[in-house]
Amino acid sequence: MSYLIILDTNIIFNDFFFKSSDMKKLLKYTRHEPVDLSITNFNYHEILKKYRDEIRPLVKKVKSTKSDLIKLEASEIIDFENLKADKIAAKYKNFLDKTIEENDIKIIDFPTSNDITEKISFKYFNNKKPFDENKVSFQDAIIWESIVEYCNENEPDNIAFISNNHKDFANKDQNRIHEDLAEDVQNLSYYNSLSAFLESEEDNLRDYFIDNFEYDEQLLKDELTLFFERNDYLPTTVDDMLMNSEFEGEFFSGWGSDGYIENYSINLNEVSLDIEENAMLVSFDIEINVSFSIETVDPTYEKGDPGDGMISESSSTNILIQSNITYLLEDKEFIDYVELESDYI
């Protein structure tokens, strides 16, 4: 019996380096079971584009500090010569290609049938999914028709399509493929998240993972606290969120700056044991209490006035970060920390 599992781009771009607990479970499952894990060729190139789109503004932001660092004779702290977005993106492509090869991930080619342009066009004209009256982009249609054409040619017995883009692919309850699409492919099950798919395969995962693994909860929390004290993951995330958010203060609105973590708490959600790797896959939340300044340009400031032309007022907020990490039991070491979601609460 053939089983085809298809990942949409959105499952990967929140976890570009395949570090999350759910992704590790999926890869372990597909390496041991008679299933084909796949992405479409469109997804492959879209993942690379998403990565480039993420890295380019970051590189630009770092490069914008070069003149100031030169003035302060501190430019050597950054290797500006090798700080090139295309070079970093090429390195990521090598990683992605290696991951695809090592895990035998199938690339489903672009649709090539003679009537494919007409087929997609009429779905667009008739507001058939993945289109609707407010959806005019063709990316999802190309992904879907790639899947349809491959499945019609290869006739897998069962198909799992995993995508959190429920708006364009799913029914109102977000648990089945939309009726406009169901007629295109037989025996296809839709899952709106990787965790939803893994839950459906729970019985098949028991040979590789022990869920609800018994561990010392307080000891694990203490070890995680030490881990965060040895790096700057949390301050970096906090600063990035503050700088890219607008806050309404008592006197004016502005962006956040000078963030300071007053305290934080760790809540363990799920801990599984990877039997083969002798490693704990840890899913947890971090709730952070942050004090910071709301900052904006002083509208009364004129050139020559003292100061930097900015005004600020004190504020505070709470941030929730949903994270995964792996703990190697033999080496007593954390690896593969990844932040999946972060938001204000």
Side-chain angles (χ1 to χ4, degrees):
M1 179 177 290
S2 56
Y3 191 5
L4 179 68
I5 302 171
I6 307 164
L7 301 180
D8 199 3
T9 305
N10 47 63
I11 300 300
I12 295 173
F13 72 65
N14 282 335
D15 182 22
F16 277 119
F17 290 91
F18 297 74
K19 291 182 178 181
S20 72
S21 298
D22 283 347
M23 185 60 75
K24 288 185 175 184
K25 288 181 179 180
L26 177 68
L27 295 180
K28 178 66 65 73
Y29 170 65
T30 57
R31 283 198 298 268
H32 287 79
E33 295 291 326
V35 299
D36 289 323
L37 182 61
S38 64
I39 58 174
T40 70
N41 209 338
F42 190 98
N43 290 130
Y44 170 77
H45 289 284
E46 190 173 38
I47 292 165
L48 295 175
K49 181 182 185 302
K50 292 279 187 184
Y51 185 84
R52 287 196 305 271
D53 291 347
E54 293 255 343
I55 205 68
R56 278 177 174 156
L58 298 178
V59 169
K60 185 178 180 180
K61 185 185 294 186
V62 174
K63 283 187 172 181
S64 69
T65 67
K66 185 175 181 178
S67 60
D68 290 333
L69 289 171
I70 290 173
K71 290 177 185 177
L72 297 171
E73 298 186 3
S75 60
E76 70 277 0
I77 65 174
I78 297 175
D79 184 4
F80 286 102
E81 185 65 28
N82 289 310
L83 189 63
K84 295 179 173 61
D86 288 344
K87 189 172 184 178
I88 298 171
K91 184 178 179 181
Y92 176 73
K93 181 180 183 300
N94 290 337
F95 164 82
L96 182 61
D97 290 344
K98 183 179 179 182
T99 301
I100 288 171
E101 181 180 359
E102 289 179 346
N103 293 279
D104 198 23
I105 299 174
K106 183 186 296 293
I107 304 295
I108 296 174
D109 211 349
F110 292 104
T112 58
S113 60
N114 293 332
D115 64 343
I116 191 61
T117 302
E118 181 180 359
K119 186 177 181 182
I120 291 175
S121 298
F122 276 103
K123 282 192 173 184
Y124 166 70
F125 295 141
N126 294 305
N127 290 329
K128 291 275 192 177
K129 291 294 184 182
F131 299 103
D132 60 37
E133 59 186 13
N134 299 313
K135 172 84 172 186
V136 296
S137 60
F138 283 73
Q139 294 97 315
D140 291 327
I142 296 172
I143 291 169
W144 180 252
E145 295 304 329
S146 300
I147 295 170
V148 171
E149 191 168 293
Y150 177 86
C151 291
N152 287 339
E153 291 176 358
N154 294 274
E155 299 182 345
D157 296 307
N158 293 292
I159 308 152
F161 179 45
I162 308 172
S163 171
N164 62 29
N165 182 8
H166 52 80
K167 181 179 178 182
D168 297 320
F169 288 119
N171 63 356
K172 289 183 179 180
D173 294 331
Q174 303 177 19
N175 58 3
R176 294 180 184 276
I177 202 73
H178 193 277
E179 60 183 14
D180 288 350
L181 305 173
E183 59 194 37
D184 292 338
V185 181
Q186 302 298 312
N187 302 320
L188 184 143
S189 299
Y190 168 80
Y191 299 92
N192 60 19
S193 68
L194 196 47
S195 59
F197 170 76
L198 292 172
E199 186 176 342
S200 74
E201 296 291 334
E202 187 175 4
D203 290 342
N204 293 322
L205 290 168
R206 286 175 180 163
D207 290 339
Y208 319 114
F209 300 96
I210 299 175
D211 289 331
N212 301 315
F213 177 65
E214 292 187 11
Y215 60 95
D216 187 322
E217 181 174 340
Q218 189 56 53
L219 179 61
L220 182 55
K221 285 184 177 181
D222 291 343
E223 290 293 326
L224 281 168
T225 300
L226 289 173
F227 171 79
F228 287 117
E229 288 177 356
R230 291 194 295 264
N231 59 61
D232 59 356
Y233 287 123
L234 299 186
T236 299
T237 298
V238 167
D239 288 344
D240 182 65
M241 290 182 67
L242 294 177
M243 284 292 294
N244 290 284
S245 302
E246 184 170 340
F247 300 92
E248 190 68 39
E250 185 177 356
F251 304 105
F252 52 81
S253 61
W255 61 88
S257 66
D258 301 325
Y260 178 77
I261 297 176
E262 298 287 351
N263 55 70
Y264 64 89
S265 60
I266 296 172
N267 180 48
L268 301 172
N269 297 324
E270 182 182 5
V271 177
S272 301
L273 177 68
D274 184 329
I275 299 170
E276 191 174 58
E277 304 296 333
N278 194 28
M280 293 165 57
L281 306 182
V282 185
S283 172
F284 63 102
D285 294 339
I286 313 165
E287 187 172 336
I288 309 173
N289 176 247
V290 179
S291 59
F292 67 101
S293 297
I294 300 174
E295 190 170 280
T296 192
V297 176
D298 184 350
T300 66
Y301 183 82
E302 295 183 359
K303 188 175 181 180
D305 288 350
D308 59 3
M310 309 298 292
I311 53 176
S312 63
E313 63 175 278
S314 298
S315 188
S316 63
T317 189
N318 291 310
I319 292 174
L320 181 69
I321 303 175
Q322 298 175 354
S323 305
N324 284 177
I325 200 167
T326 298
Y327 184 69
L328 304 177
L329 289 169
E330 186 173 335
D331 297 333
K332 296 183 179 180
E333 177 187 7
F334 285 112
I335 62 168
D336 292 344
Y337 173 68
V338 58
E339 295 175 356
L340 302 176
E341 298 285 346
S342 55
D343 207 350
Y344 297 100
I345 55 174

